[in-house]
Amino acid sequence: MGNGLKELFRRHPSNPILTVDDWPYPANSVFNAAATQIDDHTLLLVRVEDRRGISHLAVARSADGISDWDIDSEPTFPADPEHHPEELWGVEDPRITFVPESGEYLITYAAYSEAGPLVSLARTRDFRQFERLGPIMPPEDKDAALFPVKFNGRWAMIHRPYGLIAEHVPAHMWMSFSPDLKHWGDTRILMRARRGGWWDANKIGLSPPPMETPNGWLLLYHGVRKTAAGSIYRIGAALLDREDPTKVIRRSDEWVFSPQEAYERVGDVGEVVFSCGWVRDDDRIRLYYGAADTAIAMAEASLNELLSYLTALPAYCNDINKNLSQ
Ligand code: BMA
């Protein structure tokens, strides 16, 4: 976007809406928060990096989702390496999926194990008590979120395995299925990283959990562009078939959101916008994102505008052999 075209996502004027200065206890940074709407308030499950470099998760609540955050006075979901050795170096980048069928919230997060990050799962009803279901994907794997409904009786999850063969092998988005949230399989590539000079070449991953819309499952995903000065993390959009989410039906060529403001360009890791959560209120979408691995910011979009943009794109070709130009 840019060049005078209307941006799909509009930054909130009070960005960044949460920084470590708002935190009730000492920490290094707050970023990459999961988000959900509970009754009359917005809940963020925030990744907090402490001053050792280890991350935990903390709950922040706000009536308008922008200001007056009520933040838990101590870590809500600290790593528990004693019982869960895979959490040795912390817990990171959560995604929340509310399951209407059971009234539970399922939380996927990256547990930073000695062998690299892996996908772990926990569930809660109130964000006070959590039940850990443990690792569901071996390392290295992250950027995972569940769908809120089952498909033919099976849970579905998007995730991003990486580094299984070698660093130079592209990191694509994959999808797996499970009858019981414990045993995962029927694993396949969902959407490939592009190649060459593309903004989303070589490494992509899911951003917030998939959102159900009349036109299909709306996805945002991050693409990583490696440059001589470091990596740039931007966000693109895609649509999956509503009945068969293994089919990508649209994918934006251009990114829909990218680092531009000072708080996105400068920080612990500059040139990063990284989203793990969004909240929908009729047509209004609030996208929460980590800015430069340092603070939390928010941008708004209209669901109808996003869907009009995507549905006007040509149908996406899922056939890799016809897609080599990308
Ligand atoms: C990714 C993840 C994110 C982080 C981003 C930019 O690989 O580790 O947590 O925001 O890098 O540093």
Side-chain angles (χ1 to χ4, degrees):
M1 303 307 285
N3 301 328
L5 285 177
K6 198 172 163 206
E7 297 279 346
L8 287 168
F9 286 92
R10 296 170 281 275
R11 291 171 175 78
H12 196 272
S14 47
N15 274 351
I17 56 164
L18 275 170
T19 75
V20 77
D21 294 337
D22 300 307
W23 235 247
Y25 51 88
N28 172 58
S29 48
V30 297
F31 55 117
N32 300 1
T36 192
Q37 185 72 16
I38 302 189
D39 303 326
D40 56 354
H41 65 268
T42 299
L43 180 145
L44 297 185
L45 188 60
V46 175
R47 172 176 173 192
V48 182
E49 190 183 289
D50 68 22
R51 295 185 179 190
R52 300 170 302 166
I54 307 293
S55 292
H56 61 265
L57 309 180
V59 165
R61 294 178 171 85
S62 155
D64 64 4
I66 297 158
S67 57
D68 292 325
W69 292 94
D70 179 13
I71 303 166
D72 282 3
S73 57
E74 46 190 67
T76 317
F77 190 97
D80 181 12
E82 200 182 314
H83 303 103
H84 289 270
E86 71 279 2
E87 296 182 5
L88 179 65
W89 291 322
V91 290
E92 305 182 349
D93 299 357
R95 272 86 169 176
I96 299 170
T97 299
F98 176 65
V99 182
E101 192 188 304
S102 63
E104 285 181 325
Y105 298 86
L106 296 173
I107 304 165
T108 42
Y109 58 97
Y112 196 168
S113 82
E114 244 178 323
L118 55 77
V119 180
S120 270
L121 180 63
R123 64 175 158 211
T124 185
R125 290 186 175 272
D126 55 10
F127 288 89
R128 290 186 174 85
Q129 285 181 326
F130 299 85
E131 184 196 347
R132 276 172 162 85
L133 302 174
I136 51 174
M137 284 289 157
E140 293 195 10
D141 204 325
K142 63 204 297 197
D143 298 324
L146 295 160
F147 287 74
V149 294
K150 294 183 195 163
F151 298 90
N152 297 324
R154 299 189 304 172
W155 298 95
M157 176 171 68
I158 298 175
H159 56 116
R160 208 283 305 281
Y162 186 47
L164 296 176
I165 306 175
E167 274 277 315
H168 65 269
V169 174
H172 306 305
M173 286 161 66
W174 291 62
M175 193 158 183
S176 295
F177 293 88
S178 171
D180 56 5
L181 290 176
K182 196 174 171 62
H183 304 91
W184 290 89
D186 202 3
T187 302
R188 79 272 309 278
I189 290 179
L190 173 67
M191 203 165 85
R192 290 173 188 273
R194 291 173 169 122
R195 304 190 305 176
W198 281 85
W199 68 274
D200 54 355
N202 303 318
K203 195 173 176 187
I204 61 171
L206 183 68
S207 290
M211 182 185 286
E212 192 168 11
T213 80
N215 297 87
W217 293 93
L218 178 60
L219 292 192
L220 294 184
Y221 71 99
H222 56 266
V224 185
R225 173 75 194 271
K226 288 208 169 98
T227 79
S231 295
I232 307 176
Y233 278 72
R234 300 186 177 102
I235 294 176
L239 266 182
L240 309 181
D241 186 274
R242 198 169 174 183
E243 310 301 323
D244 178 4
T246 64
K247 284 204 188 96
V248 180
I249 54 177
R250 295 287 188 280
R251 177 178 182 177
S252 65
D253 275 355
E254 300 188 344
W255 62 78
V256 295
F257 198 64
S258 74
Q260 282 172 23
E261 299 294 328
Y263 54 86
E264 298 159 353
R265 308 199 74 168
V266 180
D268 275 5
V269 186
E271 305 293 347
V272 173
V273 289
F274 194 97
S275 176
C276 294
W278 52 6
V279 168
R280 179 183 159 193
D281 181 10
D282 291 329
D283 184 50
R284 177 182 177 230
I285 288 178
R286 275 177 279 138
L287 179 73
Y288 292 92
Y289 62 98
D293 283 9
T294 298
I296 295 171
M298 195 271 274
E300 288 182 313
S302 146
L303 177 62
N304 283 325
E305 276 179 29
L306 267 173
L307 291 176
S308 310
Y309 168 72
L310 280 167
T311 51
L313 298 174
Y316 182 72
C317 175
N318 285 280
D319 183 349
I320 176 66
N321 297 314
K322 295 194 182 135
N323 235 341
L324 285 179
S325 63
Q326 298 192 337

